[in-house]
Amino acid sequence: MPNTIISREIRLASRPHGLPTPANFTLTQTELAPLSDQQVLVRNLYMSVDPYMRGRMNEGKSYVPPFELGKVMDGGAVGEVVESNAKEFKVGDAVTSNFGWREYFTAVPKDLHLVSRELQPLSVYLGALGMTGMTAWCGLNLGEVKSGDVVFISGAAGAVGNVAGQLAKLRGCKVVGSAGSAEKVRFLRDECGFDIAFDYKAGPVVDQLNVEVPDGIDVYFDNVGGEALEAALAALRVHGRIVVCGGIAGYNAEAPPPGPTNLFNMITKRLTMKGLLVRDSLDRQGEFEQEVGGYFRAGKLKNRETVVQGIEQAVGAFIGLFAGKNNGKMVVKLI
Ligand SMILES: NC(=O)c1ccc[n+]([C@@H]2O[C@H](COP(=O)([O-])OP(=O)(O)OC[C@H]3O[C@@H](n4cnc5c(N)ncnc54)[C@H](OP(=O)(O)O)[C@@H]3O)[C@@H](O)[C@H]2O)c1
């Protein structure tokens, strides 16, 4: 390593109760150890903040271990190789990784994934061509979404939602989205190609679905849970499908929110409800990159993002997810 590298990083200071606050995090500086054999030094260019990280701030067993107190929060990032002692990577290569909320890190090749620099900005690898885009693609596959389906997506203006909507349009579906403001409704209709969009804060979701899609929906792509799930259960047609991707409406609840009051629809309408975990499909990443990367390169799929500048803004960007501060993927630009 030519010079000493000082890297800033964000650590978990305490576990939140309800909505996280800046006091739950600390921004600190650390000096990186000299690069050893087979190691690569990476400077992150963009890092991701994601709703699932809220769950990892809690103690307790889940599908992924909790963040440790006093340790750096890990998560998706895209960066460039600054120095390499490994034959697999050379200086200037763009790589994705999961080392998260820090400016620089050292890693071994198996923990880095080479991506093409041709696609710009590289933050696309956190959005449409990254974990959230892949979640959208996996969710549509899980729900066996096909041409002619009427698909309702909640949290539609976010990272997963907007890509799910764009991909469903490419499959020949009629796409309906809900989001939390009039500006987001316009974004969904005018920029993401949704057929129908409505503001879930403007009136009961069940009533708005009744007005917008009186003949019902075939598929519900759930990013939110709560009221949206209950409304979708009412709107689904016989043999309808629900893809359960997320439940952000409940992530900051201090006690589990009550479940839908109308689950009986599962029986009367013979509905199917499937849970999605994108990490189950990592073996399909190549297929995802080929199909969805192809749409992106052809200009058929747009990467939508909200970019904040600087690691010192990361905590605010993360907390902002729970107040709907993002259109598309929320990313933090580090240089
Ligand atoms: N299962 C998996 O493998 C997997 C993978 C990735 C993500 N997910 C889940 O997918 C969902 C979307 O993730 P994302 O990364 O795309 O996040 P995102 O949608 O980009 O950001 C979160 C959005 O949620 C909405 N929101 C916040 N609080 C809400 C509330 N109380 N009720 C309704 N909407 C609320 C906000 O938009 P509004 O302005 O519209 O409220 C906000 O912009 C999350 O639930 C996440 O946990 C699951």
Side-chain angles (χ1 to χ4, degrees), residues 29-51:
Q29 287 200 155
T30 187
E31 188 179 323
L32 268 63
L35 206 61
S36 51
D37 193 32
Q38 286 307 309
Q39 278 193 324
V40 180
L41 172 66
V42 177
R43 171 168 64 173
N44 276 337
L45 301 172
Y46 296 92
M47 54 162 271
S48 182
V49 290
D50 296 89

Side-chain angles (χ1 to χ4, degrees), residues 51 135 158-160 179-180 184 200 223 245-247 249 251 276-278 321 324 326:
T135 302
V160 174
K184 289 191 179 191
Y200 70 87
N223 287 311
C245 174
Y251 288 178
L276 166 73
L277 261 190
V278 65
L321 291 170
N326 57 311

Side-chain angles (χ1 to χ4, degrees), residues 19 48-55 63 126 131-136 138 154-163 178-181 184 188 198-201 221-228 243-252 275-280 304 318-330:
L19 184 68
S48 182
V49 290
D50 296 89
Y52 81 86
M53 294 170 172
R54 174 63 187 86
Y63 66 97
L126 303 179
M131 182 276 284
T132 51
M134 184 153 166
T135 302
C138 289
S154 58
V160 174
N162 90 87
V163 176
S178 63
S181 70
K184 289 191 179 191
L188 290 175
F198 62 86
D199 175 358
Y200 70 87
K201 293 176 180 165
F221 193 119
D222 190 13
N223 287 311
V224 164
E227 186 198 353
V243 175
V244 187
C245 174
I248 195 167
Y251 288 178
N252 293 309
L276 166 73
L277 261 190
V278 65
R279 52 194 280 142
D280 289 348
R304 307 289 178 191
F318 172 65
I319 296 171
L321 291 170
F322 303 100
K325 297 273 196 252
N326 57 311
N327 270 2
K329 179 78 190 90
M330 181 75 99

Side-chain angles (χ1 to χ4, degrees), residues 73-272:
M73 314 251 306
D74 56 27
V78 58
E80 64 185 0
V81 173
V82 179
E83 195 187 343
S84 177
N85 282 346
K87 63 179 183 325
E88 292 87 343
F89 293 98
K90 60 180 188 314
V91 171
D93 280 347
V95 290
T96 55
S97 64
N98 204 41
F99 292 94
W101 300 40
R102 54 181 118 207
E103 293 175 314
Y104 290 85
F105 63 92
T106 54
V108 291
K110 74 169 178 47
D111 292 331
L112 302 173
H113 177 65
L114 184 71
V115 292
S116 166
R117 287 199 89 122
E118 275 167 42
L119 303 184
Q120 292 286 337
L122 290 171
S123 51
V124 67
Y125 295 111
L126 303 179
L129 301 187
M131 182 276 284
T132 51
M134 184 153 166
T135 302
W137 179 78
C138 289
L140 297 184
N141 292 342
L142 190 67
E144 297 172 31
V145 171
K146 58 183 187 313
S147 181
D149 281 339
V150 179
V151 181
F152 169 47
I153 303 166
S154 58
V160 174
N162 90 87
V163 176
Q166 293 187 69
L167 291 177
K169 281 305 297 175
L170 287 166
R171 288 190 185 195
C173 302
K174 179 172 176 178
V175 180
V176 184
S178 63
S181 70
E183 196 277 325
K184 289 191 179 191
V185 168
R186 188 205 58 74
F187 167 75
L188 290 175
R189 285 199 194 122
D190 300 350
E191 295 182 47
C192 302
F194 281 58
D195 298 287
I196 295 168
F198 62 86
D199 175 358
Y200 70 87
K201 293 176 180 165
V205 178
V206 69
D207 294 348
Q208 299 201 65
L209 277 177
N210 254 331
V211 170
E212 300 291 353
V213 272
D215 295 333
I217 59 175
D218 298 296
V219 178
Y220 173 47
F221 193 119
D222 190 13
N223 287 311
V224 164
E227 186 198 353
L229 174 57
E230 192 162 295
L233 281 161
L236 276 155
R237 295 171 177 160
V238 169
H239 297 306
R241 291 95 77 199
I242 303 173
V243 175
V244 187
C245 174
I248 195 167
Y251 288 178
N252 293 309
E254 297 202 39
T261 58
N262 57 350
L263 259 188
F264 204 71
N265 279 294
M266 297 289 300
I267 301 166
T268 56
K269 294 194 264 191
R270 284 83 81 206
L271 304 177
T272 308

